[in-house]
Amino acid sequence: MSRRGKRLLVLALVAVVGMAFRVSWNALRDVARAVGADATAATLYPFVVDGLMALALIATLVLVGRDRTFALRVLGGYTAASLVLNYVHGLVPELHGRTVDWGRLADWDPANWALVLLATSLPVGSIYFGSDLVAKVLHHQPTPTVNADESEQESANQSRVELRKSTLDPDRAPAPAGGLIASDRAPDFEPPLSLPVGVLAAESTPVRRATGRVPEVARSARPKRTADELLAEARSLTADWPDSGLSAEAIRKAVRTSAEKARGLRDALRAERAGAGV
């Protein structure tokens, strides 16, 4: 139903309730006068009965569960009480002209006692039941409603996750329709290659780059060469080198030593070649 239709429905309900309250007004007012109420109390008496009925009706629309059942019982009880008092008002014409004896609503004494008890107990019941209904409505926690779009999106996400899990784990895949066993049919896809846990861990572990100075225990155990050994190795490696190619950088790369030692080797080799040429 559209919002406009709901508004029209509520307005129609309010109009019907208002007219019904006006019709019941005279009967309840005259009954209140018959049981001893003054003019002001008799005027307010219809609000006590029919007003609590309206409050109970609103409570039934808000409350749920046992509280809603309680509100329905209050609504039904006060509706029955109002019906009885209106019925008595129609049966006793003397109530209309205020000629009835005080406290006399029926000729039969037991019926009269019951009607007087009913009429006088309704205000007290309105205080009790009305307070209880208002407290229940104020303490009521409405159930949160889930948006339809959010619910559909959540269902779609859950379906994707379950599908991904069933794809990665063939054992969790649902059984095919028709009672066929999955092994009787050719697989629709190649299962992912399963590797040992150790291989996966080794491949996934990133290589940590050295930062700062490498400790002595982490260095390779390469023997240290003396100056004579370096010179002999450089002499053998550069024997066929021309004089122009005899540089410190080339010697350093060939002998694999430091730049300072490479310069010393260059000078020594040049001196040897110069002495041999003389």
Side-chain angles (χ1 to χ4, degrees), residues 141-157:
Q141 297 293 337
T143 304
T145 57
V146 180
N147 192 358
D149 297 337
E150 295 179 358
S151 178
E152 293 179 359
Q153 183 65 25
E154 184 177 356
S155 301
N157 295 337

Side-chain angles (χ1 to χ4, degrees), residues 30-41:
D30 294 341
V31 169
R33 287 175 178 173
V35 295
D38 57 9
T40 303

Side-chain angles (χ1 to χ4, degrees), residues 181-189:
I181 302 177
S183 60
D184 296 339
R185 303 177 8 170
D188 297 334
F189 60 93

Side-chain angles (χ1 to χ4, degrees), residues 37-117:
D38 57 9
T40 303
T43 304
L44 297 177
Y45 189 82
F47 290 101
V48 173
V49 181
D50 294 343
L52 183 64
M53 292 168 54
L55 177 62
L57 177 60
I58 296 174
T60 57
L61 300 177
V62 177
L63 301 176
V64 294
R66 298 178 59 184
D67 294 339
R68 184 172 184 270
T69 303
F70 173 76
L72 287 173
R73 289 177 179 176
V74 173
L75 177 61
Y78 268 72
T79 301
S82 179
L83 175 62
V84 170
L85 295 181
N86 278 270
Y87 178 69
V88 172
H89 184 266
L91 290 179
V92 183
E94 290 81 1
L95 290 174
H96 306 170
R98 307 179 188 176
T99 58
V100 67
D101 295 336
W102 178 78
R104 196 71 185 177
L105 298 178
D107 295 333
W108 188 41
D109 289 340
N112 181 67
W113 297 337
L115 292 174
V116 173
L117 177 62

